[in-house]
Amino acid sequence: MNKYEILVLLIVLIILIKSFTQFIEKIRGFKDEQLKFTMRIKKENINRLTGLQFEGFCQWLFHNNPEYKDIKLTPPSNDGGVDLILTNYDDEKIYVECKRYDSNPTLASNDEDNASDEFFIGRVICQKLVGAMMANNIKKGIILTTGSVSPNALEYIGKLEDNSDLSLKIYTMDNILKLIEERENQDDYELAVEI
């Protein structure tokens, strides 16, 4: 092999190593790239989020809230029916379930008597969160939804609070928009969430 062939071989080897390194870095960063998003906070944008993005958005929504010292996002799978765990300054934990509007009209509760073209939080979703709360001795729960609340869910929550020491609140899109307005930087409507 002469010097020219060795030089060409070295250049090819360097190019291959560089390409391979970039490929490995891209694979390692693929998961992070899939879970990062930036958006302008508007009702329409919130409705377009995927389920995982909506959970990240809800985490951001509670971030810097003076009531909570810790906001933990649970893993995307095997979360036990809980998407966020808030901890207040009395070290009390609050379980949060995040349910975004699905563009395919569905009844989240499976309550056939409430079927319509709108997404509803029903009794079944409430019972699922309450079950997770009871299993872990948690007294407070929140459901955040971009949909509406069925009468069955409201009746269930009323009975639950009348007959136990458990508390369950539901925040609809109107409540979510109010929480956004209450944030310290009301003009800062850019959102970048990394999960």
Side-chain angles (χ1 to χ4, degrees), residues 1-181:
M1 249 188 210
N2 65 27
K3 290 181 183 180
Y4 178 73
E5 290 173 331
I6 292 174
L7 182 62
V8 169
L9 185 61
L10 283 174
I11 290 172
V12 169
L13 187 59
I14 289 171
I15 291 171
L16 286 173
I17 290 172
K18 217 173 191 183
S19 298
F20 186 70
T21 304
Q22 289 174 346
F23 178 73
I24 295 295
E25 289 300 316
K26 194 164 207 136
I27 289 174
R28 284 182 35 191
F30 180 72
K31 181 179 177 186
D32 291 338
E33 288 175 18
Q34 292 292 341
L35 301 177
K36 290 180 187 176
F37 64 96
T38 302
M39 63 179 260
R40 296 285 289 160
I41 306 239
K42 293 180 184 173
K43 184 177 179 178
E44 303 80 39
N45 291 341
I46 295 169
N47 284 331
R48 288 188 203 121
L49 298 174
T50 66
L52 188 58
Q53 290 172 334
F54 184 65
E55 290 173 16
F57 167 76
C58 291
Q59 179 186 27
W60 172 84
L61 198 58
F62 285 109
H63 198 72
N64 293 330
N65 184 315
E67 293 181 45
Y68 307 109
K69 67 178 182 179
D70 188 43
I71 295 98
K72 179 183 170 196
L73 184 65
T74 61
S77 58
N78 299 322
D79 62 11
V82 178
D83 297 319
L84 295 173
I85 301 172
L86 310 177
T87 306
N88 65 20
Y89 285 93
D90 294 328
D91 289 324
E92 181 181 26
K93 296 200 181 308
I94 298 100
Y95 279 4
V96 180
E97 178 70 12
C98 306
K99 291 291 184 187
R100 65 156 174 82
Y101 177 81
D102 188 342
S103 59
N104 296 324
T106 306
L107 188 64
S109 66
N110 296 325
D111 295 334
E112 292 178 11
D113 56 328
N114 290 322
S116 72
D117 291 337
E118 194 173 351
F119 180 85
F120 280 90
I121 292 298
R123 180 181 31 81
V124 173
I125 290 175
C126 296
Q127 288 173 326
K128 182 180 172 187
L129 181 59
V130 168
M133 291 164 55
M134 291 176 65
N136 294 294
N137 199 27
I138 302 297
K139 302 296 181 195
K140 294 181 181 177
I142 299 171
I143 297 173
L144 282 121
T145 182
T146 58
S148 300
V149 184
S150 77
N152 283 343
L154 295 173
E155 180 184 344
Y156 173 77
I157 292 169
K159 287 180 180 178
L160 176 76
E161 293 181 350
D162 288 345
N163 298 313
S164 73
D165 60 348
L166 300 178
S167 168
L168 185 59
K169 294 182 180 175
I170 298 182
Y171 292 5
T172 61
M173 182 61 84
D174 289 337
N175 303 110
I176 291 170
L177 295 174
K178 285 177 187 170
L179 286 172
I180 292 169
E181 291 299 322

Side-chain angles (χ1 to χ4, degrees), residues 40-41 60 180 183-192:
R40 296 285 289 160
I41 306 239
W60 172 84
I180 292 169
R183 290 183 58 90
E184 286 181 22
N185 291 330
Q186 292 183 10
D187 297 330
D188 183 17
Y189 276 47
E190 289 291 330
L191 169 64

